[in-house]
Amino acid sequence: DPQQQGWRALLFQALRIRLHFSAINLLETNESSLSPQALAQLHSPAADAEWAWRISMPIAAVLLPLLALLLSKQKPRAGRAGNLIVALLVYLLYYNCIGIVEQAIKKAQVPALSMAGVHIALCIVILILCAQQLGWRCKKITAQFPCIKKEIV
């Protein structure tokens, strides 16, 4: 019992705090807090940058696991950390490029469709890794297409 040990218990009926709000301008809102319908009505670089960001996240959610799958395959005698470091570096570069392009769109330095370039670059990296996994080398391609072989030699 707390009272036997020298403790006192205090009970309160209600706790109230008076908050004073300054005048808030509800018309000034951040683009990230707007609904897609409200964002579509805005025609500003900041709204375009927000659209590019919102579209980039689902695309990244598809591309990054594909990259992880391709980098998860290891050679029997290779170290385990090599592909992990490559995956981490590619992820950091990709995510930072998305942020850089978003800021450039927000400042109206580049068009909103320039965000597609970042995703296309990662798609090319994924396709190159996929080709390596499948064993497509220049020798196999030239063996299948003799016209290319003549031009290379």
Side-chain angles (χ1 to χ4, degrees):
D1 187 32
Q3 290 179 353
Q4 292 176 353
Q5 297 176 357
W7 293 86
R8 287 188 330 173
L10 298 175
L11 300 175
F12 295 96
Q13 289 180 354
L15 177 63
R16 294 186 182 140
I17 298 174
R18 180 174 290 202
L19 299 175
H20 297 282
F21 291 103
S22 62
I24 299 173
N25 187 358
L26 296 176
L27 297 176
E28 292 182 21
T29 57
N30 193 0
E31 283 81 11
S32 63
S33 64
L34 294 176
S35 69
Q37 294 82 12
L39 194 62
Q41 293 175 355
L42 295 177
H43 299 290
S44 67
D48 292 342
E50 182 63 28
W51 270 114
W53 177 262
R54 289 184 187 188
I55 292 170
S56 292
M57 291 302 103
I59 294 171
V62 171
L63 293 179
L64 290 173
L66 286 175
L67 178 70
L69 283 174
L70 292 171
L71 290 175
S72 66
K73 184 178 179 184
Q74 297 179 14
K75 294 180 181 176
R77 296 183 186 251
R80 295 181 183 200
N83 285 344
L84 180 64
I85 292 170
V86 169
L88 183 64
L89 290 176
V90 170
Y91 166 75
L92 289 174
L93 182 68
Y94 176 65
Y95 196 74
N96 283 330
C97 285
I98 288 175
I100 290 168
V101 172
E102 181 201 7
Q103 290 302 315
I105 294 170
K106 194 176 280 188
K107 294 177 183 175
Q109 295 173 344
V110 295
L113 287 177
S114 60
M115 186 68 81
V118 177
H119 303 302
I120 291 171
L122 186 62
C123 284
I124 291 171
V125 169
I126 289 172
L127 288 175
I128 290 171
L129 288 172
C130 187
Q132 285 180 346
Q133 293 278 332
L134 294 174
W136 292 352
R137 302 272 191 260
C138 189
K139 292 177 185 178
K140 286 189 175 186
I141 293 172
T142 56
Q144 291 176 354
F145 302 102
C147 61
I148 297 176
K149 187 175 184 179
K150 291 177 187 175
E151 293 175 9
I152 292 176
V153 177

